[in-house]
Amino acid sequence: MDGYKKLISSQKMRMAILKTLSFVPDKIMIQLQYRIKLGRKLALKNPKRYTEKIQWYKLHYRNPIMIQCVDKYAVRDYIKKKGYQSTLTKLYGVYDAPDAIDFGQLPDKYIIKTTNGSGTNIICRNNNEIDVTAIRKKLQDYMNRPHISAGREWAYYGVKNRIVVEELLEDKSQPGKEIVDYKFLCFSGRVFCVVVDIDRFTNHKRNFYSTNWKRLSVSSDHENFEPDINKPENLSEMVEIAEVLSEDFPAVRVDLYNVNGKVYFGELTFYPWSGYVQFEPDDFDFMIGEKFFLPDINVGMGL
């Protein structure tokens, strides 16, 4: 799947190419990307696979709430509305430009994000040792990226590009170590399975679990990890939160953290892995697809 990244290692170059190809209609680009990344033709008229239905979702599902929910700042109001304000991390500031950030007023540790970006996070563990000029430059590069989603993901087109600075979550028992990501694949307000990612920025590995924490014999674009991670003591609370946050949509991945015994909201992802993920066994793609009921595109979207 990531062969194109190996061919063109520079992210800046890949973004420049995407900008050059922005004239290509979304449907054609998505069909081309699906073929290149997964090595098979995309079935859009009668999609069966989960990965195919994600592409249909990009092209046809236009629920305006999605724009709020993919915005890393605006989604906070959605979470509050759902009654889960307690899961939000501390917000230190929201800015329209890198130069507006007063780093002298920030705490020792924090994380910086762009509101419509992917892979645009900057982690600070010691505010006294940062290179402010370098950080501002990196953030400006992020904000200058072409306003077109790499995977042609509709919901991101309407997001205002801003910068948020938030609390950096850390496991007190393992300071400095990456926290575990719990990603709940939800369909029509029900959790189907939990995807667990560890060491995302160093040695990324991934396992799949059922809602009763049985390890599923599934892998995707990252190796499985051993030994299994322990079942979170408050897993039932996490499932409840995921199901409430997902109830307004046919399909969404709810990303949560469980740090020091407390559940935190991560993000809502409507196009997990942009739908360009190869599952092993391949049948798992069809199994998830059966849970994904495509909506009537003329209902509930202001059409």
Side-chain angles (χ1 to χ4, degrees), residues 32-276:
L32 179 61
Q33 289 179 331
Y34 193 87
R35 168 74 80 173
I36 291 173
K37 296 182 179 185
L38 295 179
R40 56 178 177 260
K41 183 178 179 181
L42 172 61
L44 281 174
K45 289 186 177 180
N46 187 27
K48 299 293 185 182
R49 295 173 177 268
Y50 171 72
T51 54
E52 293 173 335
K53 291 185 177 183
I54 288 292
Q55 310 312 320
W56 185 98
Y57 214 34
K58 293 179 188 178
L59 293 168
H60 298 295
Y61 190 59
R62 298 291 185 262
N63 186 334
I65 303 175
M66 295 167 72
I67 297 173
Q68 175 188 10
C69 288
V70 299
D71 184 316
K72 291 182 176 61
Y73 174 63
V75 70
R76 298 175 73 92
D77 285 337
Y78 182 80
I79 302 305
K80 292 174 184 176
K81 180 181 177 182
K82 289 294 184 178
Y84 290 113
Q85 181 172 352
S86 63
T87 68
L88 295 173
T89 57
K90 295 177 184 176
L91 176 68
Y92 298 128
V94 56
Y95 312 91
D96 290 324
D99 289 343
I101 304 173
D102 184 350
F103 286 91
Q105 296 298 313
L106 294 178
D108 190 42
K109 300 178 181 181
Y110 51 86
I111 184 168
I112 308 175
K113 307 174 182 179
T114 58
T115 52
N116 71 342
S118 176
T120 58
N121 296 348
I122 299 175
I123 295 175
C124 174
R125 299 187 186 276
N126 188 336
N127 196 43
N128 293 322
E129 297 181 357
I130 62 171
D131 185 336
V132 172
T133 301
I135 289 177
R136 291 193 199 279
K137 183 179 184 305
K138 182 176 288 188
L139 287 171
Q140 193 59 59
D141 286 344
Y142 290 157
M143 299 190 78
N144 288 343
R145 287 181 177 180
H147 192 65
I148 184 168
S149 165
R152 301 299 179 93
E153 299 169 354
W154 170 82
Y156 291 92
Y157 291 157
V159 177
K160 180 180 179 181
N161 200 1
R162 293 173 289 184
I163 300 165
V164 292
V165 183
E166 298 176 336
E167 172 187 6
L168 178 64
L169 297 176
E170 288 191 303
D171 187 337
K172 292 180 181 178
S173 66
Q174 303 182 78
K177 185 175 174 60
E178 295 175 40
I179 59 176
V180 176
D181 285 326
Y182 298 90
K183 304 175 185 295
F184 295 77
L185 288 181
C186 302
F187 302 94
S188 302
R190 298 300 301 271
V191 173
F192 173 69
C193 70
V194 190
V195 184
V196 179
D197 286 309
I198 65 171
D199 301 330
R200 287 185 58 213
F201 304 109
T202 52
N203 186 27
H204 194 169
K205 293 186 178 181
R206 173 181 295 154
N207 283 354
F208 293 73
Y209 295 89
S210 66
T211 53
N212 60 6
W213 216 248
K214 179 182 178 182
R215 168 85 168 271
L216 303 180
S217 298
V218 177
S219 63
S220 58
D221 300 321
H222 298 280
E223 294 180 9
N224 294 131
F225 58 81
E226 300 288 352
D228 279 324
I229 195 167
N230 291 332
K231 174 184 174 181
E233 291 185 3
N234 48 2
L235 177 63
S236 59
E237 178 189 358
M238 299 175 78
V239 170
E240 177 184 324
I241 292 171
E243 294 191 337
V244 171
L245 295 182
S246 66
E247 63 188 0
D248 294 329
F249 312 102
V252 63
R253 193 185 75 199
V254 180
D255 297 356
L256 301 174
Y257 300 107
N258 196 329
V259 183
N260 306 315
K262 186 177 186 310
V263 180
Y264 291 91
F265 172 74
E267 63 181 317
L268 296 178
T269 304
F270 294 100
Y271 317 106
W273 312 293
S274 201
Y276 302 132

